[in-house]
Amino acid sequence: MNIYTPLSFFAFLLSVYMGIYVLRLQSHSASNRAFLGIAVTTAIWNFANMFLFADLDKSDVLFWYKVTAFGWSILPAFVLHFFLLLSQKETWFKKIWIWMGIYLPAVIFTIRAMFGGFLASDFYVGPGNVIHVVPNSSSPWYYIYTGYLCVCIISGVLIFADYGRKSKSRKVKSQSRIFLIAVLVLFILILFTDLVLPIMNIKVIPSIGGIIMIFWMLTIWYVIVKYKLMAFTIESAANKLISEMNELLFFVDTDGKIILVNNFTENSLKVNSKYLINRNFHELVEESEKVKLLLWEIEQNNHVADVTLHMKHSDGNLLPVSLSFSGIKDKVGDLLGTLVVGHDITLRIRLQNELEFRREAEQRIQQQNETLVWQKEELLKTLENLKNTQKQLIQSEKMASLGELTAGIAHEIQNPLNFVNNFSEVSNELIDEMKEELSRGNYREVVNIAENIQQNLAKINHHGKRADSIVKNMLQHSHTATGQKQLTNINNLCEEFFRLTYHGLRAKDKTFIATMKTDFDINLEKVNVVSEDIGRVVLNLINNAFYAVTERKKLNQPDYEPTVWVSTKKVNGKIQIRVKDNGIGIPKKILDKIFQPFFTTKPTGEGTGLGLSLAYDIVTKGHGGEFQVETKEGEETTFIVQLPTL
Amino acid sequence: MARILVVDDERDIQLLFEQRFRKEIKNGEMNFSFAFSGEEALEFMKSHRQEAVLILSDINMPGMNGLELLRHIKQDFRQPPPVVMMITAYGDSENYYQAMQLGADDFLTKPVDFVSLKEKLKEKLQCH
């Protein structure tokens, strides 16, 4: 027993295994079949060698040697065939002479080896107790075979090298490189052990070509595993597709049990295939009844697409999927099973939700915009209303002060009118007298009377004008302000409104009595103001002053003399109007409110609450002046208006 | 003959009275004096203490008004008792009662009817 017998046995097993493995990968592929040929011949070679190396009986050895010929004599043909197929030269095999050229010599060599033998002329037991071959170097067959072997291997290698060089695929290039190196190295080794060494009568190792052949096959096997060589087929592509596709995939048999899943399914559902295989498909789906029905109906419908369902995660969560069911039938039409492809629609649903959310948000924003626009319009309307109301209020404030003035004006007009009436009546009488004196010829008296009449007419004219100016003033006051500034005598203005106010109040309240005191700076220059506005300010202040003294009068304090002072003065280049009263004063807590619009201490209906606020605006905004108030509660109040002269 | 003091803040009242009563003045029937404020009237009264005076006063005047003047006169000048007639633009009962309370002898409203005033004055003067 020597080492070569178990090595041959091992090589035999390996070649059988590799042959089956490659055939299983793809039994219909021509290149796989050619490889199977290589594997079978190598297996036979090694199988025979196994006995050859173990047996020392010459006749037995000859028998097993003849069996090995089935291996090595056909092997070159299979190798060449294999390389041609790898180089995609399938079309060559449509021609019969190619087949003949490759396989006919192999058949001839096999037959020759069976009946004549040409590689070995004798056997002997060499060192290591192993059978060695004596080469039949005198036979021409020996050289014909050697040439055939070299041509097959070298031409195959060259064709494949050319194919690898021309290919753009890196995978093919590296495959061809590995093959070339492996084949050349091992081919040389085999030549060496099986042909060169025996011829040179060197007895180090026996003919172990079959064992070396195994390394060659291992190289192919390595390339297949690494590069999936010989698997570029629909089936292998389908397998690859199934394992790498980013869709869930189940194959469900007619009982509803899962018999196949892909990697993506395992990852998506976070379970391994062991858990899934042989499980009822409907168990994996939340809507299990619906799925049962679908699987049952698939026999009739054959295909159901895009059913949105929820698959159960191992952790209990639900995965939204869109499932398509396709029935797979045999040639007779019987259902073999159902292919279920599921698309993870988590993202789609999230996007849909997002879209929905955005649409809602947009709608909400749209609505808010509409509301805003509506509110803005409402506000504008309200503002418009407010402006109108303000105008009306200001007008009514003016009218209210006008009302207060009317009685005063009536009184003021009455005096000049009385004079006009009286002087004209008197003048009439005087003219009668003048006529009398004329008839008497008393010319001196006539001249005297004429002078009187002239004087009266001047008075009539004077008082007529006085009444006229009062009316004009009144009109000026009632008119909507022209806003025109004009040079105005502030003293006259104050005096006029002081009197008008006083008489106005007297007209309203007959019991009203107050001392009016004025102290006007006669050197006051005229100042450029909107006189009707400043008049309104003075009117308002004097009105308030009279109101304050009247209120205090009601307290019946002994020795109380209601008094209102109006004075003017020039202070630091500014004209100062002071309106002082010894009335009830202003309580501190309301002092900061008195200039606010609508603030009034008067009973409802008596004051608009706008007088002081308007006065404040007129002085400060209208004339760039200042407005101050000094008061002692229960004793006195002084309003001070300062107007710039420029 | 009694003197008639007319008190009014309107200065033209003097000219008007002088013309209205020019015949009476010419005849020496009436003797007018004029004051243009309450204060001025009181001064006049002080300087004419012994004279019988008929006072014709406006109520509405700046400074001392007619009613105050009336009060002063009735308090300070008892002998000879002056006749005080009040004239006002406001023919209201309040002023009227107040004037009467203060001892006014008569109450006239503006516009003054000079015909009836003349009669009244003549009547009063005769009483004196």
mmCIF file of all heavy atoms in Angstrom, chain B residues 114-124:
data_model
loop_
_atom_site.group_PDB
_atom_site.id
_atom_site.type_symbol
_atom_site.label_atom_id
_atom_site.label_comp_id
_atom_site.label_asym_id
_atom_site.label_seq_id
_atom_site.Cartn_x
_atom_site.Cartn_y
_atom_site.Cartn_z
ATOM 1 N N PHE B 114 -87.672 153.521 24.874
ATOM 2 C CA PHE B 114 -87.375 154.836 25.438
ATOM 3 C C PHE B 114 -88.632 155.651 25.762
ATOM 4 O O PHE B 114 -88.627 156.482 26.661
ATOM 5 C CB PHE B 114 -86.428 155.606 24.509
ATOM 6 C CG PHE B 114 -84.996 155.206 24.714
ATOM 7 C CD1 PHE B 114 -84.432 154.150 24.056
ATOM 8 C CD2 PHE B 114 -84.230 155.922 25.652
ATOM 9 C CE1 PHE B 114 -83.137 153.777 24.275
ATOM 10 C CE2 PHE B 114 -82.920 155.535 25.872
ATOM 11 C CZ PHE B 114 -82.359 154.473 25.187
ATOM 12 N N VAL B 115 -89.721 155.394 25.053
ATOM 13 C CA VAL B 115 -90.966 156.141 25.320
ATOM 14 C C VAL B 115 -91.475 155.819 26.725
ATOM 15 O O VAL B 115 -91.720 156.709 27.539
ATOM 16 C CB VAL B 115 -92.044 155.797 24.264
ATOM 17 C CG1 VAL B 115 -93.336 156.554 24.543
ATOM 18 C CG2 VAL B 115 -91.534 156.118 22.864
ATOM 19 N N SER B 116 -91.509 154.478 27.006
ATOM 20 C CA SER B 116 -92.007 154.103 28.332
ATOM 21 C C SER B 116 -90.978 154.468 29.408
ATOM 22 O O SER B 116 -91.334 154.821 30.533
ATOM 23 C CB SER B 116 -92.344 152.604 28.388
ATOM 24 O OG SER B 116 -91.194 151.843 28.208
ATOM 25 N N LEU B 117 -89.664 154.399 29.053
ATOM 26 C CA LEU B 117 -88.620 154.767 30.013
ATOM 27 C C LEU B 117 -88.773 156.243 30.404
ATOM 28 O O LEU B 117 -88.669 156.604 31.579
ATOM 29 C CB LEU B 117 -87.232 154.502 29.407
ATOM 30 C CG LEU B 117 -86.039 154.942 30.271
ATOM 31 C CD1 LEU B 117 -85.957 154.135 31.560
ATOM 32 C CD2 LEU B 117 -84.721 154.798 29.495
ATOM 33 N N LYS B 118 -89.013 157.047 29.383
ATOM 34 C CA LYS B 118 -89.173 158.491 29.622
ATOM 35 C C LYS B 118 -90.310 158.745 30.602
ATOM 36 O O LYS B 118 -90.172 159.496 31.572
ATOM 37 C CB LYS B 118 -89.453 159.193 28.281
ATOM 38 C CG LYS B 118 -89.020 160.620 28.215
ATOM 39 C CD LYS B 118 -89.264 161.202 26.838
ATOM 40 C CE LYS B 118 -88.109 160.916 25.877
ATOM 41 N NZ LYS B 118 -88.298 161.569 24.571
ATOM 42 N N GLU B 119 -91.430 158.040 30.388
ATOM 43 C CA GLU B 119 -92.592 158.201 31.270
ATOM 44 C C GLU B 119 -92.258 157.784 32.696
ATOM 45 O O GLU B 119 -92.569 158.468 33.652
ATOM 46 C CB GLU B 119 -93.764 157.365 30.744
ATOM 47 C CG GLU B 119 -94.501 158.078 29.626
ATOM 48 C CD GLU B 119 -95.494 157.187 28.905
ATOM 49 O OE1 GLU B 119 -95.835 156.123 29.471
ATOM 50 O OE2 GLU B 119 -95.879 157.533 27.791
ATOM 51 N N LYS B 120 -91.587 156.605 32.767
ATOM 52 C CA LYS B 120 -91.214 156.091 34.083
ATOM 53 C C LYS B 120 -90.308 157.084 34.815
ATOM 54 O O LYS B 120 -90.471 157.337 36.008
ATOM 55 C CB LYS B 120 -90.486 154.741 33.949
ATOM 56 C CG LYS B 120 -91.442 153.581 33.919
ATOM 57 C CD LYS B 120 -90.693 152.255 34.005
ATOM 58 C CE LYS B 120 -91.718 151.110 33.965
ATOM 59 N NZ LYS B 120 -91.076 149.805 33.861
ATOM 60 N N LEU B 121 -89.321 157.602 34.085
ATOM 61 C CA LEU B 121 -88.374 158.529 34.698
ATOM 62 C C LEU B 121 -89.093 159.774 35.197
ATOM 63 O O LEU B 121 -88.879 160.230 36.322
ATOM 64 C CB LEU B 121 -87.280 158.911 33.699
ATOM 65 C CG LEU B 121 -86.210 157.840 33.416
ATOM 66 C CD1 LEU B 121 -85.248 158.313 32.317
ATOM 67 C CD2 LEU B 121 -85.432 157.499 34.690
ATOM 68 N N LYS B 122 -89.983 160.277 34.363
ATOM 69 C CA LYS B 122 -90.734 161.485 34.738
ATOM 70 C C LYS B 122 -91.537 161.232 35.999
ATOM 71 O O LYS B 122 -91.553 162.036 36.929
ATOM 72 C CB LYS B 122 -91.668 161.912 33.595
ATOM 73 C CG LYS B 122 -90.923 162.657 32.487
ATOM 74 C CD LYS B 122 -91.852 163.052 31.344
ATOM 75 C CE LYS B 122 -91.053 163.798 30.269
ATOM 76 N NZ LYS B 122 -91.865 164.015 29.063
ATOM 77 N N GLU B 123 -92.132 160.015 36.004
ATOM 78 C CA GLU B 123 -92.951 159.610 37.152
ATOM 79 C C GLU B 123 -92.111 159.579 38.430
ATOM 80 O O GLU B 123 -92.475 160.134 39.452
ATOM 81 C CB GLU B 123 -93.509 158.217 36.861
ATOM 82 C CG GLU B 123 -94.656 157.780 37.765
ATOM 83 C CD GLU B 123 -95.049 156.342 37.396
ATOM 84 O OE1 GLU B 123 -95.279 156.093 36.195
ATOM 85 O OE2 GLU B 123 -95.079 155.494 38.319
ATOM 86 N N LYS B 124 -90.942 158.902 38.339
ATOM 87 C CA LYS B 124 -90.053 158.758 39.496
ATOM 88 C C LYS B 124 -89.565 160.117 39.973
ATOM 89 O O LYS B 124 -89.475 160.392 41.166
ATOM 90 C CB LYS B 124 -88.816 157.896 39.142
ATOM 91 C CG LYS B 124 -89.150 156.505 38.655
ATOM 92 C CD LYS B 124 -89.391 155.537 39.807
ATOM 93 C CE LYS B 124 -89.689 154.162 39.175
ATOM 94 N NZ LYS B 124 -90.404 153.289 40.072
#
